[in-house]
Amino acid sequence: MKAWASALDPTNTSGIRFLADPTGEFTRALDLAFDGGAVFGGDRSKRYALVIEDGKVRQVHIEPDNTGVDVSTAEKVLKDW
């Protein structure tokens, strides 16, 4: 996650926080886990983006097929923001 943040926000000025969920606890709490055992070896997170302001979720962008990149891209999320 650190490398991704460094590549996408090298000056740390975007206001975006890059957070990992190594145990999947957050993903399960949001009910965004899916069984990826056949391909990935276990449960995985659906691809999604959240817009959070003042500690409240303002927008949720969840890919309908779990792994695609149609609704959760930065361009689409920022367009709706």
Side-chain angles (χ1 to χ4, degrees), residues 17 28 34 39 54 56 74 77 81:
R17 291 184 62 193
R28 285 188 297 279
F34 72 96
V39 177
D54 299 323
K56 295 181 182 174
V77 171
W81 186 43

Side-chain angles (χ1 to χ4, degrees), residues 5 8 15 18 22 24-25 31 36 41 47 49-50 52 56 59 77:
L8 296 174
F18 295 84
E25 183 177 353
D31 196 26
R47 187 179 298 268
L50 302 175
I52 302 171
K56 295 181 182 174
Q59 294 180 22
V77 171

